[in-house]
Amino acid sequence: MNQDLTQQWLTEIQVLKEQMAELQHDRDAAWESAQKWRQLYNTEAEQRRTHAQLSQQAIASLKADLHKLQGLEVETLAAGTPVTAIQQEIEQLKSVEDLQAKLIAVIKERSCLLQALKTEHDNHAQTRNSLTTALGDAIDSLTRERASKEEEKGKNS
């Protein structure tokens, strides 16, 4: 009888060891998966930051070029208040044709900036959706894996 009890305890200990090893393996797999997703997220975030920085530099460069083409020096904008700079620019306009040309240039710049903003907004939404989908897929995969392991345990018991 003592031998039977000892055998039961040894069997129980062995089963617990196996469960513990399996749980440790599951934990390690989940950790690796989380690390992989973290890395992918960080890579995507870095790419977005770089892209945003390059876009800001391009916008600043285009604005500087536009100001030079319009005869308005960048220093004038930086030195005076925006209202003063605008007033000076308006004073340079001598005719209705000049005013129309200026209005067309401003509308074109506005359109370009709106398009750049829309593109950035769309890219952000796409990234958010991609990351959400990837995270959902990872959770589903982990859930299926755990369910299959639970089924195995049920069959082995």
Side-chain angles (χ1 to χ4, degrees):
M1 188 159 189
N2 255 351
Q3 191 173 13
D4 289 338
L5 188 57
T6 303
Q7 188 59 39
Q8 281 180 333
W9 279 105
L10 290 174
T11 303
E12 180 81 18
I13 290 170
Q14 185 60 34
V15 167
L16 290 173
K17 281 183 179 180
E18 290 171 6
Q19 287 177 351
M20 191 167 92
E22 187 176 319
L23 290 173
Q24 287 173 339
H25 175 72
D26 290 349
R27 180 203 62 203
D28 293 344
W31 178 256
E32 288 175 19
S33 177
Q35 285 295 95
K36 176 182 142 194
W37 286 111
R38 236 181 254 115
Q39 180 62 37
L40 289 172
Y41 176 81
N42 287 335
T43 300
E44 180 70 21
E46 184 62 33
Q47 288 173 347
R48 291 286 172 209
R49 282 191 291 273
T50 302
H51 184 263
Q53 184 179 17
L54 291 174
S55 296
Q56 288 174 348
Q57 290 173 351
I59 289 170
S61 174
L62 289 172
K63 282 183 178 180
D65 290 346
L66 179 63
H67 290 144
K68 286 179 185 176
L69 289 174
Q70 294 172 344
L72 183 65
E73 293 298 320
V74 176
E75 293 81 26
T76 305
L77 281 178
T81 63
V83 173
T84 305
I86 291 171
Q87 287 172 343
Q88 289 174 353
E89 194 171 345
I90 290 173
E91 289 172 3
Q92 292 176 1
L93 301 174
K94 301 295 182 200
S95 67
V96 174
E97 290 80 21
D98 290 344
L99 182 60
Q100 287 174 338
K102 180 69 174 172
L103 182 59
I104 289 170
V106 168
I107 290 172
K108 284 181 181 179
E109 180 182 11
R110 179 183 170 269
S111 294
C112 289
L113 291 172
L114 285 173
Q115 183 60 40
L117 179 63
K118 183 186 179 312
T119 301
E120 185 60 28
H121 183 269
D122 292 346
N123 288 342
H124 176 74
Q126 181 183 4
T127 299
R128 185 179 60 240
N129 289 340
S130 297
L131 290 174
T132 302
T133 301
L135 185 57
D137 291 347
I139 290 170
D140 289 345
S141 176
L142 186 58
T143 303
R144 282 193 300 270
E145 186 178 319
R146 285 184 179 167
S148 68
K149 289 187 185 227
E150 288 297 320
E151 277 184 28
E152 278 184 30
K153 286 181 188 177
K155 289 179 183 177
N156 290 339
S157 295

